């Protein structure tokens, strides 16, 4: 007897609907699986055989042939176990074909018949809904994740025995099944327009009030008002930020406070970051849509594969896990130069492509890079009263960061040593807190969203030369000032455009529609550290 069961397959961040075809016929008993299968899928034969036996549905002495299509796509992972087992049950007559019609089934089987969680359930459920299927059957531990998809019936099962009884009962969940073994949920479409950021700054502030209580607060950072200002500018325009300063000056603390001033994730962004974690297999049991923006801080010994993603079966790397959030590289000069240079293309294209024999996998990487470093091996340059490094040692240390990476950093800021008055004086702890700074950032973001509506742009940092001419027009006085800066600082074209983009963000923070000279001047100051330490003029 022939049967068909639908399941979901993963290819990069996207899922596709796979068709599991099972034929049980007379002949020499056997169990064959075809369809460009990886080793994990081929090994499913023994898992399925033993799981069915322990679920009191042992395989009859027939020849079973399984084909998983499309055969042009390489299949990896353990999510094919459950649909193949259900297909066998249909082919052997234990379950009618109509009972699994319009259903997407995915899950891993244990030898005892336990249904174990798999990665990528969220994109699979989204694809099932897109293809017009009416029901998803997933592992119980993936139930909450699958329920994030609206408008499709979701069924979660904990073991094969209960799932067989459920599928044999077409009208619903049998009374003898325990809630802990079978969970069923049907959700309806909901209007999520209220989650939009534009025009709703106050509402979003209330939504993130509890978030501010668990994240480090800028109010806890003593002094460093200049660095705080740079962090606000970076957060407002989603600019990349590099902090340079001696040990103990607060660079790491400043970086960890940045998520507390970022706007809350929109509904679409929450779905995107949750989808990345689902594909990476990092979703916790019972977790819903992620609420907080990612903050990823890898150790400087991180490998290239861990940072950008990859492997024999490609998975998202740390830069994709930081999508829509912050990637913080502490002690930037301690990272391998070759590893850092891998960030160049993802920072420009906001995605990373991994090529394998089985195809090309694309993962998102739209992150805000925040980096911190010492100015020399001992950390105290240019304070010659404390620094004992030779000029050659300083230059070799700074050159560990390549020029192309520096070119992609929008803001350079020095974080100076804090004196005693800043720590224990009358003004200690009186700086702006994260709540007030977050309000400034959200208002600036709202202005950008209104300006770039319908263009595909979201932040000032994304502006190219053409968009700069359209959205960052300068008056005559401002043009003359920029001409003076261009010649005095010997700016390159890239540095010139970077200053204009930063000035646009500074104007948004001030609530100005027109870029003024004070904004251009402050933006140019964020290039001074670059020239000071790397002896560049632009």
């Amino acid at each position: 007897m022939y049967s068909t069961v639908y399941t979901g397959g993963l290819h990069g961040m996207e899922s596709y609907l796979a068709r599991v075809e099972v034929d049980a016929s007379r002949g020499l008993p056997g169990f064959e699986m075809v369809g460009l299968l990886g080793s994990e899928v081929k090994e499913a034969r023994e898992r399925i055989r033993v799981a069915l036996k322990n679920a009191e549905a042992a395989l009859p002495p027939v020849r079973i042939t399984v084909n998983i299509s499309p055969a042009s796509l390489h299949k990896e992972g353990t999510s094919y176990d459950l649909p193949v087992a259900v297909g066998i049950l249909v082919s052997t007559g234990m379950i009618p074909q109509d009972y699994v019609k319009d259903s997407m089934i995915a899950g891993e089987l244990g030898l005892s018949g336990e249904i174990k969680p798999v990665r990528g359930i969220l994109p699979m459920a989204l694809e099932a809904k897109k293809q017009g299927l009416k029901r998803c059957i997933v592992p119980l531990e993936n139930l909450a994740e699958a329920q994030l998809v609206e408008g499709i019936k979701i069924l979660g099962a904990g073991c094969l025995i209960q799932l067989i009884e459920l599928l044999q009962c077409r009208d619903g969940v049998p009374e003898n099944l325990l809630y802990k073994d079978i969970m069923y949920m049907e959700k309806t479409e909901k209007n999520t327009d209220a989650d939009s950021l534009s025009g709703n700054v106050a509402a979003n502030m209330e939504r993130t009030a509890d978030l501010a209580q668990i994240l480090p607060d800028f109010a806890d950072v003593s002094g460093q008002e200049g660095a705080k200002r740079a962090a606000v500018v970076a957060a407002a325009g989603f600019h990349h930020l590099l902090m340079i300063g001696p040990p103990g000056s607060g660079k790491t603390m400043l970086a960890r406070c940045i998520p507390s001033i970022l706007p809350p994730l929109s509904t679409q962004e929450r779905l995107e970051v949750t989808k990345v974690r689902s594909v990476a297999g990092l979703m916790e049991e019972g977790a819903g849509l992620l609420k907080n923006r990612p903050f990823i801080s890898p150790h400087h010994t991180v490998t290239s594969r861990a940072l950008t993603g990859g492997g024999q079966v490609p998975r998202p790397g740390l830069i994709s896990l930081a999508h829509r959030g912050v990637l913080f590289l502490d002690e930037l000069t301690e990272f391998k130069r070759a590893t850092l240079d891998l960030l160049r293309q993802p920072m420009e294209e906001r995605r990373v492509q991994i090529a394998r024999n089985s195809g090309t996998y694309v993962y998102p990487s739209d992150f805000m890079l925040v980096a911190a470093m010492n100015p020399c091996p001992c950390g105290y340059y240019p304070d010659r009263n404390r620094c004992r490094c030779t000029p050659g040692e300083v230059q070799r240390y700074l050159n560990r960061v390549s020029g192309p990476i520096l070119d992609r950093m929008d803001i350079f800021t020095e974080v100076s040593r804090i004196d005693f008055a800043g720590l224990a004086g009358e003004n200690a702890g009186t700086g702006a807190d994260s709540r007030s700074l977050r309000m400034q950032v959200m208002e600036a973001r709202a202005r950008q969203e209104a300006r770039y509506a319908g263009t595909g742009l979201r932040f000032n940092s994304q502006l190219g030369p053409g968009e700069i001419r359209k959205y960052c027009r300068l008056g005559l006085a401002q043009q003359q000032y920029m001409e003076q800066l261009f010649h005095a600082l010997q700016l390159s074209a890239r540095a010139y455009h970077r200053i204009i983009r930063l000035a646009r963000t500074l104007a948004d923070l001030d609530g100005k529609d027109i870029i003024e000279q004070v904004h251009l001047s402050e933006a140019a100051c964020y290039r001074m550290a670059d020239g000071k330490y790397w002896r560049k003029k632009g």
Side-chain angles (χ1 to χ4, degrees):
M1 182 178 175
Y2 171 83
S3 67
T4 300
V5 175
Y6 290 107
T7 187
L10 292 177
H11 188 81
M13 282 298 300
E14 301 304 321
S15 176
Y16 60 91
L17 203 60
R19 187 175 179 181
V20 178
E21 301 173 303
V22 181
D23 180 77
S25 59
R26 293 180 181 180
L28 188 65
F31 191 165
E32 296 295 332
M33 297 179 64
V34 296
L36 197 58
L37 311 179
S39 59
E40 290 176 324
V41 185
K42 292 179 181 178
E43 292 170 355
R45 290 180 297 184
E46 297 307 316
R47 290 195 297 270
I48 293 169
R49 189 192 306 274
V50 177
L52 287 173
K53 176 182 71 70
N54 290 328
E56 302 176 358
L59 291 177
V62 296
R63 182 171 185 80
I64 296 174
T65 304
V66 178
N67 175 50
I68 305 178
S69 62
S72 58
L73 293 176
H74 195 69
K75 286 58 170 206
E76 293 285 355
T78 57
S79 62
Y80 298 95
D81 292 9
L82 192 57
V84 171
V86 172
I88 292 173
L89 294 173
V90 174
S91 293
T92 55
M94 294 189 62
I95 299 173
Q97 175 72 65
D98 288 346
Y99 287 18
V100 295
K101 183 181 179 182
D102 295 330
S103 298
M104 190 281 291
I105 303 174
E108 176 186 342
L109 283 176
L111 296 183
S112 64
E114 176 190 4
I115 301 177
K116 299 180 179 181
V118 295
R119 66 185 183 96
I121 284 294
L122 178 57
M124 290 181 190
L126 287 169
E127 183 64 18
K129 178 186 175 182
K130 180 181 177 181
Q131 296 296 334
L133 299 185
K134 299 178 181 178
R135 183 173 67 170
C136 291
I137 300 174
V138 301
L140 192 60
E141 294 180 35
N142 290 128
L143 182 66
E145 181 183 341
Q147 288 175 2
L148 299 176
V149 181
E150 307 283 354
I152 188 170
K153 295 180 180 179
I154 305 296
L155 179 68
C159 69
L160 191 55
I161 294 177
Q162 278 80 19
L163 180 57
I164 292 173
E165 294 183 23
L166 175 71
L167 292 175
Q168 290 173 337
C169 180
R170 186 173 191 177
D171 296 331
V173 180
E175 294 181 358
N176 63 328
L177 296 186
L178 299 177
Y179 181 75
K180 66 178 182 179
D181 295 317
I182 296 289
M183 295 182 67
Y184 182 74
M185 178 65 68
E186 180 177 4
K187 303 184 77 176
T188 57
E189 298 285 353
K190 296 180 181 179
N191 183 7
T192 58
D193 292 341
D195 288 326
S196 176
L197 178 62
S198 60
N200 199 21
V201 174
N204 278 318
M205 286 293 295
E206 295 179 1
R207 217 172 88 192
T208 56
D210 56 338
L211 179 64
Q213 297 174 1
I214 61 176
L215 292 174
D217 196 293
F218 271 108
D220 298 329
V221 179
S222 299
Q224 307 297 7
E225 296 304 318
K228 289 182 183 179
R229 170 67 173 177
V232 171
V233 176
F238 216 63
H239 298 285
H240 302 309
L241 169 66
L242 175 59
M243 296 181 286
I244 309 171
S249 56
K251 302 186 296 296
T252 301
M253 182 65 175
L254 284 163
R256 295 191 179 279
C257 289
I258 289 178
S260 68
I261 63 173
L262 292 174
L265 290 166
S266 66
T267 300
Q268 180 61 33
E269 289 175 330
R270 292 176 66 187
L271 186 60
E272 290 177 14
V273 299
T274 304
K275 191 175 176 181
V276 173
R277 293 190 69 85
S278 175
V279 171
L282 298 177
M283 288 290 292
E284 298 179 359
E285 181 182 355
L289 283 177
L290 298 181
K291 298 180 180 179
N292 299 342
R293 289 190 180 273
F295 182 86
I296 305 296
S297 179
H299 192 262
H300 63 262
T301 58
V302 64
T303 64
S304 301
R305 179 179 295 180
L307 187 64
T308 60
Q312 184 177 359
V313 182
R315 296 196 183 188
L318 294 176
I319 62 174
S320 295
L321 293 174
H323 181 61
R324 302 300 187 192
V326 175
L327 177 66
F328 175 48
L329 302 184
D330 202 2
E331 304 297 343
L332 182 67
T333 49
E334 300 301 327
F335 286 80
K336 294 181 179 179
R337 181 164 177 165
T339 301
L340 288 179
D341 283 343
L342 291 174
L343 297 175
R344 291 158 58 178
Q345 189 172 357
M347 289 172 68
E348 290 287 336
E349 299 181 357
R350 302 180 191 89
R351 63 176 186 169
V352 58
Q353 296 188 27
I354 302 171
R356 293 291 182 269
N357 290 335
S358 56
T360 301
Y361 301 80
V362 180
Y363 298 109
S365 60
D366 189 3
F367 57 86
M368 173 182 166
L369 178 60
V370 178
M373 58 176 286
N374 297 332
C376 68
C378 74
Y380 296 106
Y381 178 83
D383 183 1
R384 283 304 182 182
N385 293 325
R386 305 184 68 183
C387 178
R388 296 295 181 264
C389 301
T390 65
E393 290 175 333
V394 174
Q395 198 60 45
R396 284 193 297 272
Y397 184 81
L398 295 174
N399 286 342
R400 294 180 184 178
V401 185
S402 66
I405 290 295
L406 293 173
D407 282 343
R408 287 163 174 79
M409 303 303 296
D410 296 324
I411 299 175
F412 295 79
T413 185
E414 291 188 87
V415 184
S416 59
R417 179 175 174 268
I418 305 175
D419 56 20
F420 180 79
L423 289 172
E426 295 181 358
N427 295 326
T430 59
D433 60 6
S434 291
R435 181 178 178 82
S436 59
L437 297 179
R438 186 168 64 251
M439 177 64 79
Q440 298 177 31
V441 171
M442 293 176 67
E443 289 175 349
R445 288 278 187 96
R447 295 178 67 87
Q448 293 172 67
E449 184 174 340
R451 181 187 305 121
Y452 305 132
T455 65
L457 299 171
R458 302 178 68 241
F459 307 111
N460 293 328
S461 60
Q462 300 175 342
L463 297 178
E467 290 85 7
I468 288 176
R469 287 191 293 270
K470 180 178 181 181
Y471 297 107
C472 305
R473 294 179 179 176
L474 303 179
L476 180 59
Q478 288 76 28
Q479 288 181 349
Q480 293 174 348
Y481 181 73
M482 278 305 302
E483 184 178 1
Q484 295 174 5
L485 286 178
F486 187 85
H487 294 298
L489 301 179
Q490 298 181 15
L491 297 177
S492 64
R494 177 177 288 180
Y496 171 82
H497 290 143
R498 183 179 292 112
I499 289 176
I500 299 297
R501 288 196 296 264
L502 282 174
R504 179 66 270 173
T505 299
L506 291 165
D508 289 335
L509 285 168
D510 286 347
K512 304 286 187 178
D513 293 327
I514 299 175
I515 298 175
E516 299 178 355
Q517 184 171 326
V518 64
H519 304 136
L520 296 171
S521 178
E522 183 177 352
C525 289
Y526 289 127
R527 301 297 306 165
M528 297 304 179
D530 184 14
K532 175 180 178 181
Y533 289 99
W534 282 274
R535 295 181 173 88
K536 295 180 181 179
K537 296 298 183 181

